[in-house]
Amino acid sequence: MTARIGLLGRIMLVLLGALSLLVVATFGIDRWQRSQERWPYASRFPRLDQAACIMALTKDADPARRPAILRAVNGEALKAEIVDAPPDVTGLIREPVLEARLHRLTGEGDIRAFTETAMLYRDDGPSDAGAAHRQRPIGSLALATYRLSDGRILVVSAIIGHRSPMPWLLGQPLSLWVAVLGVAVAFLVAVGARHELAPLRRLTDAVSRFDGRSAEPALVPQGAPEIRRLAQAVQAMQDRIVGLMGERSLLIGAISHDLKTYLTRMRLRADGIAEPERRDRLVEDLDTMTALIETSLGFARGTAAEVGRAPVDLADIVAVEVAEHAAQSACISLSGEEVQDAIVAGDAVALRRVMANLIGNAVKFGRSSVAVVVRRTESACQVVVEDDGPGIPEGERTSVFSPYYRVERSRNRRTGGTGLGLAIARQIAEAHGGTIVVEVASSGGARLVVTLPALT
């Protein structure tokens, strides 16, 4: 699974993992701080107790001193004020449980306490509220009124927006902002990493296009120093490979010229032999040697892979090759010759060499019959050559494409061949962007499948 993730994806996974750990750590520290924070109030019900104290201070205080008292007791949790008329309690809920506690704390009777829907909770009221009140919903103190001795009314209201003095920013927990910051950082890192990896992608494309014959145009050094050094190293490697390939071509050409010279001399001397039988056998050996050398040098030079690019009807090539073997009394069948869109881009001569090799092997090693199928898939053309011969063992289905490897172990060219036919066929197929694979036929013989990209 992870093998399919690119370098950018891996960087993002590492970054997201680190940011996730950061968010979790921040949240854990926040929770730990909250657990270690001491409750700043001596009572379980600080608002009720504070409201009761405010009522106690103002009931006996000189009216002239009451404004100073109110300024002193107002805080983050409660707000106290003295008004002439009862406040509007529309939308509030009368709360007898809270009133009872305020009565006991102040000793006064003209007290009203209210809560609101958002502050309701169940079965969690004051411990001394009495069993009769525990079955009905109660809530936190939202508003309390107390009539003073001069007839005016003290109003104590709760400040709902009060929060614990913990890490908050713009009304949200700090851990949430850390998560938002992490997402923003991840986005910026993704953009930056994608930009930094662009030279690496271009280098990959250049290496993929390199065929060993000519170096890719010099890449402009870009990106990080490591990527620049890598691009320079790849450019130098391509130059060395091109130089080695050129030297190999010169060496092969020299060997080919010298060998052909000596073979020509031997052929001329063979023609001077008086005995016809000896002369014919020697000429046959020389012709065989010449063909073997030509094939070997062609494979080593890579000329088999040097193909042009033109539309080629694969069905026509296969049909001609099958017809030639059928004319020589081979039991061979063809299906798919009517396929109209089996068109590939390539060299007709090279592709016919592939088909001749595969069909020739099937006719040679098949016991009684050979079946050839041409078909077109969505984006590829396939040629399947199947025989009923001894087949190719599973352990050798890859080795048969190696140069000079032969399943038939004898060195007889009539039965074993040179061992280069399948190697050259694969070389040509890969030069066309295709593949050749060996499978087992339903009859137990060999099935070779050639797949080439279709011309769209």
Side-chain angles (χ1 to χ4, degrees), residues 262-377:
Y262 287 109
L263 286 173
T264 302
R265 291 179 183 177
M266 293 175 66
R267 178 64 181 269
L268 292 174
R269 292 172 182 173
D271 290 338
I273 297 177
E275 299 179 18
E277 182 178 355
R278 292 182 58 189
R279 182 177 64 249
D280 293 342
R281 291 176 60 184
L282 182 57
V283 169
E284 181 182 357
D285 288 342
L286 290 173
D287 291 341
T288 302
M289 186 182 299
T290 301
L292 176 60
I293 291 174
E294 289 287 350
T295 303
S296 300
L297 291 176
F299 177 80
R301 191 183 294 113
T303 54
E306 296 176 2
V307 296
R309 287 292 181 266
V312 177
D313 192 331
L314 206 58
D316 284 349
I317 292 179
V318 174
V320 171
E321 194 63 35
V322 169
E324 288 190 0
H325 284 84
Q328 299 174 9
S329 302
C331 183
I332 184 170
S333 63
L334 172 63
S335 61
E337 69 273 18
E338 72 282 354
V339 176
Q340 299 295 326
D341 54 353
I343 307 298
V344 299
D347 187 296
V349 176
L351 290 175
R352 183 169 180 182
R353 186 174 185 181
V354 174
M355 301 308 158
N357 182 278
L358 300 185
I359 296 175
N361 284 346
V363 171
K364 181 188 300 183
F365 295 106
R367 294 189 178 94
S368 60
S369 64
V370 175
V372 182
V373 178
V374 180
R375 59 193 180 201
R376 165 71 186 264
T377 61

Side-chain angles (χ1 to χ4, degrees), residues 54-339:
I54 293 173
M55 294 176 183
L57 284 173
T58 56
K59 71 175 182 178
D60 297 326
D62 184 0
R65 300 181 60 85
R66 287 175 182 172
I69 295 175
L70 294 179
R71 287 194 297 271
V73 299
N74 281 338
E76 294 183 355
L78 290 178
K79 175 184 177 182
E81 59 181 342
I82 297 176
V83 296
D84 296 326
D88 183 13
V89 294
T90 303
L92 298 179
I93 303 173
R94 183 82 176 271
E95 183 50 85
V97 175
L98 301 181
E99 288 181 3
R101 181 172 179 84
L102 289 174
H103 279 300
R104 285 191 294 274
L105 291 175
T106 61
E108 301 294 333
D110 196 6
I111 297 176
R112 299 288 183 270
F114 302 89
T115 186
E116 59 183 18
T117 305
M119 303 175 70
L120 286 174
Y121 50 87
R122 183 182 294 274
D123 295 336
D124 194 24
S127 57
D128 56 350
H133 300 290
R134 292 180 185 173
Q135 300 303 319
R136 58 183 176 180
I138 60 175
S140 299
L141 178 66
L143 181 73
T145 61
Y146 172 58
R147 186 173 295 277
L148 300 173
S149 58
D150 59 359
R152 305 186 72 190
I153 299 174
L154 173 66
V155 179
V156 180
S157 55
I159 300 176
I160 306 300
H162 171 67
R163 294 186 183 274
S164 173
M166 296 304 295
W168 290 74
L169 180 63
L170 300 179
Q172 298 296 332
L174 185 61
S175 57
L176 176 61
W177 289 109
V178 171
V180 173
L181 179 62
V183 173
V185 170
F187 175 75
L188 294 177
V189 169
V191 174
R194 182 177 179 83
H195 177 268
E196 290 298 322
L197 291 177
L200 190 59
R201 290 194 296 271
R202 289 193 292 269
L203 178 61
T204 303
D205 295 337
V207 173
S208 300
R209 292 191 302 266
F210 179 62
D211 58 2
R213 294 181 177 85
S214 61
E216 286 290 314
L219 297 173
V220 179
Q222 292 179 339
E226 294 82 1
I227 297 180
R228 295 188 179 194
R229 289 195 294 269
L230 177 61
Q232 294 171 354
V234 169
Q235 188 73 43
M237 181 189 67
Q238 289 183 354
D239 293 337
R240 289 195 299 270
I241 291 176
V242 171
L244 292 174
M245 293 290 287
E247 293 177 2
R248 190 186 73 165
S249 297
L250 291 175
L251 179 61
I252 291 174
I255 293 175
S256 175
H257 178 270
D258 292 342
L259 286 176
K260 288 180 180 179
T261 299
Y262 287 109
L263 286 173
T264 302
R265 291 179 183 177
M266 293 175 66
R267 178 64 181 269
L268 292 174
R269 292 172 182 173
D271 290 338
I273 297 177
E275 299 179 18
E277 182 178 355
R278 292 182 58 189
R279 182 177 64 249
D280 293 342
R281 291 176 60 184
L282 182 57
V283 169
E284 181 182 357
D285 288 342
L286 290 173
D287 291 341
T288 302
M289 186 182 299
T290 301
L292 176 60
I293 291 174
E294 289 287 350
T295 303
S296 300
L297 291 176
F299 177 80
R301 191 183 294 113
T303 54
E306 296 176 2
V307 296
R309 287 292 181 266
V312 177
D313 192 331
L314 206 58
D316 284 349
I317 292 179
V318 174
V320 171
E321 194 63 35
V322 169
E324 288 190 0
H325 284 84
Q328 299 174 9
S329 302
C331 183
I332 184 170
S333 63
L334 172 63
S335 61
E337 69 273 18
E338 72 282 354
V339 176

